[in-house]
Amino acid sequence: MRSNSKPQSPAQSSVNIKLILISAFFLLFLLLVFSTTSSTRQQQEQSPSSSISESHIANSTTACPSLPLTPSCTKAPPSLANALIHYATTNTTPQQTFKEISVSARVLEKKAPCNFLVFGLGHDSLMWAALNHGGRTVFLEEDKAWIEQVKQKLAGLESYHVEYDTKVHQADALLETGMKEECKVVSDPRSSDCELALKGFPSEIYEIEWDLIMVDAPTGFHDDAPGRMNAIYTAGLIARNRAEGETDVFVHDVNRVVEDKFSKAFLCEGYLREQQGLLRHFTIPSHRALSGRPFCP
């Protein structure tokens, strides 16, 4: 997710993405204002006798001046305000393209506020947290120094340092391992017998039912990098192990061999909903809710 994972975009493309992000956040703020205003009007229509006194009290105690025909003053949520300021004042933009971001944003529009787990901490992290306003967005990052660097600028992001003990050059052997029967058994990753299951995360990562999971880390662009083999498998296992419902799982950089093969094998082509650019979107249902469901459809 960091800028060293792939070449920087041209300057003009960076400016265009920044303008698009700022516009999107501004429209989201207007939507929040409209929703709050509509809700307040409905409440006043339902309780006409109390509307005058309540309005008088609100106007006398709030620091926000009310606009004409606007019953209350709505401030921008902190996550949205911080995102606007951050992307308006930096030349660094997310590595995903507008079309790729739009795939996840459409799902967040339907599900937020929700639980959103992201493998990787990068220049797009504040954007994901803002788009999931009111929900919980957690980032798992392999580079401890990078976490500290990001926290200095964006202290409000929830992130955890995690470790991986694999290398990209082991991918073929790990793919073969993943074909074994023990890797088809759905369970909590901590109790799985599959070598691909990641077991060293904070306990709450396994206990929360995640509505969205984004796999955009760990580093995987050279042979000695950790690679995303285990991350992709574990994301699919977490999704299948939820009590009910479904989880939307996204994998970025599917132009690379590991991301391509492992997402197809363990997130399953039958669960693939969309591919846009280098991003694949899978929707994986609970396997606990329906006994006997095959690992892949």
Side-chain angles (χ1 to χ4, degrees), residues 187-296:
S187 66
D188 185 313
R190 292 172 293 185
S191 60
S192 174
D193 291 328
C194 182
E195 293 180 26
L196 286 170
L198 292 168
K199 303 180 180 183
F201 295 159
S203 59
E204 57 191 311
I205 299 300
Y206 304 103
E207 294 161 4
I208 294 173
E209 291 199 344
W210 299 100
D211 302 295
L212 283 82
I213 302 177
M214 173 74 72
V215 182
D216 206 358
T219 308
F221 62 92
H222 59 88
D223 282 350
D224 288 325
R228 300 176 187 172
M229 300 80 69
N230 299 56
I232 292 171
Y233 174 83
T234 302
L237 193 57
I238 290 174
R240 291 177 175 88
N241 194 52
R242 65 180 297 152
E244 59 183 3
E246 60 186 23
T247 301
D248 291 279
V249 182
F250 306 88
V251 179
H252 195 227
D253 297 316
V254 295
N255 59 315
R256 301 194 301 218
V257 174
V258 166
E259 286 79 355
D260 176 41
K261 289 186 176 180
F262 277 72
S263 65
K264 288 179 178 178
F266 302 116
L267 302 181
C268 305
E269 293 185 75
Y271 291 142
L272 179 62
R273 294 294 172 263
E274 180 180 1
Q275 178 171 338
Q276 184 64 250
L278 307 183
L279 185 81
R280 280 185 190 147
H281 170 207
F282 301 82
T283 301
I284 301 180
S286 165
H287 281 219
R288 288 169 56 191
L290 182 60
S291 179
R293 189 192 294 269
F295 191 82
C296 283

Side-chain angles (χ1 to χ4, degrees), residues 30-44:
L30 291 180
L31 179 61
L32 288 171
V33 172
F34 177 77
S35 299
T36 303
T37 302
S38 300
S39 176
T40 304
R41 286 177 177 171
Q42 290 176 359
Q43 291 175 2
Q44 289 185 336

